[in-house]
Every structure is written in C-alpha cells, then in structure tokens.
Amino acid sequence: QKEVEQDPGPLSVPEGAIVSLNCTYSNSAFQYFMWYRQYSRKGPELLMYTYSSGNKEDGRFTAQVDKSSKYISLFIRDSQPSDSATYLCAMGRYGNKLVFGAGTILRVKS
Amino acid sequence: SAVISQKPSRDICQRGTSLTIQCQVDSQVTMMFWYRQQPGQSLTLIATANQGSEATYESGFVIDKFPISRPNLTFSTLTVSNMSPEDSSIYLCSVGSSGGTNEQFFGPGTRLTVL
C-alpha cells in the first residue's frame, strides 16, 4: 500500500463547476499537508498549505484536512479553463521529506 | 517565496554521457532537494542537498550515478552520469521554506531525453 493514494483521473468538468480533489494517506504522523498545481512542462506551484486538521480558504480554493480519517481535499469553486492542470497532494512531518501523491489531471471545459 | 531557476531547461543527450543540471536560488536557503518526475508519474525524491555536508540519497539512488554539489546557500548541481534511456525524465530542484515549516518551492525543471 502506498503511503499516499490519489486518483490520477483525468477529471473532466464544465466551466463553473465545483471540483473536489482528494488524497488518502496511511501515516498518522503526517502534520503538514500541501496541494501543488503543475501545468504541462512547468514545475509544481504551491497552492495551499495546511498544518494539522481543519480548513483553509484562499480565493476560489479551499483545503480540508481530516486527520481522523486520514483524508485531505482540495475544492475549487467556479472552475475555469485556466485551472486545467495536474494537482498533486503532498504531506510530511516537520523536518522530514515530503511524500507526494500520484497527481490528478483536471480538465475544465469551456 | 524564493525564485528558483534551472539550467538547462531541456537537453537531448547520447547514451553513456553525463549531464550537469544547475539550480540557482535568489536567496539563501538551508535545504535544497532534487526530484525526478518520469512521464505521467509523480515526484520521486533523489536526494537532499545541504550546504557544507554530503547529500543524503534516497533508496534506489546512489552518489556515483547522481553526484550532487552544494557549494553555497544559493546554488546546487545534480549530475546524471553514464546516462541510459531510462534516465529520460524531468529533473526538478526545490528549496525548503525558511519559515520553519515543511513547504517546498520548485524550480521549472529540466527535461532530459536520452537517446
């Protein structure tokens, strides 16, 4: 079993839809949770960073962490074609390496 | 966040040769990391490069194949040695946050094709 599981998609949605991206993990020691966005032929860009459980909102993006279920989510409201990218979840413990999910390919159709 | 650049952005190399990839950061950082991202795959950590000490390699990666230098707090190089087509990949450097958290910020990547 992988430490971090993420559905690779692709996930295809119409413009304006609410998108839900998810990861599950097995290591209960993880404290830091991140979402990266990676456009084709670019490096990953940090979108959201969360410490421990709870929600964090930034514009159209909301990150949720449920440590009791070992489940994290990224919600994108009013999705735009420019949101089409691969979304990678990542997590770790302080001072330790990050563990990445496989990435979910998102396509927002105009 | 730091601005990170990598050179070259892409290269096509012959089997058996070596390529050195450079990573430059616009501010001093303690921790730098090198990753490999094979087509359609997620990121795999190759090694952690800390200034003033030997790089720490992950399981499956060895110094003879991927020597790393970290001469100062703003620069690092990764060499891919004696390349084979299986080394064709995107190589990414990242830097750790200076704020005491686990965030990492990535460079644009180097796309390597080995023929």
Side-chain angles (χ1 to χ4, degrees), chain B residues 5-22:
Chain B
S5 60
Q6 285 185 235
K7 289 182 181 178
S9 58
R10 61 173 60 205
D11 208 341
I12 301 173
C13 301
Q14 296 297 319
R15 180 196 300 261
T17 62
S18 297
L19 176 72
T20 295
I21 302 167
Q22 298 178 4

Side-chain angles (χ1 to χ4, degrees), chain B residues 31-87:
Chain B
M31 301 186 76
M32 294 181 77
F33 305 87
W34 286 99
Y35 288 84
R36 182 172 72 183
Q37 187 176 30
Q38 295 181 305
Q41 307 268 330
S42 188
L43 281 71
T44 301
L45 181 63
I46 297 171
T48 302
N50 296 322
Q51 196 267 338
S53 63
E54 294 280 330
T56 303
Y57 288 84
E58 296 298 307
S59 176
F61 297 97
V62 296
I63 187 171
D64 290 347
K65 176 68 175 177
F66 297 101
I68 287 171
S69 78
R70 181 81 198 273
N72 57 53
L73 291 173
T74 63
F75 188 78
S76 178
T77 67
L78 169 75
T79 299
V80 186
S81 303
N82 188 24
M83 289 184 285
S84 67
E86 291 71 35
D87 294 318

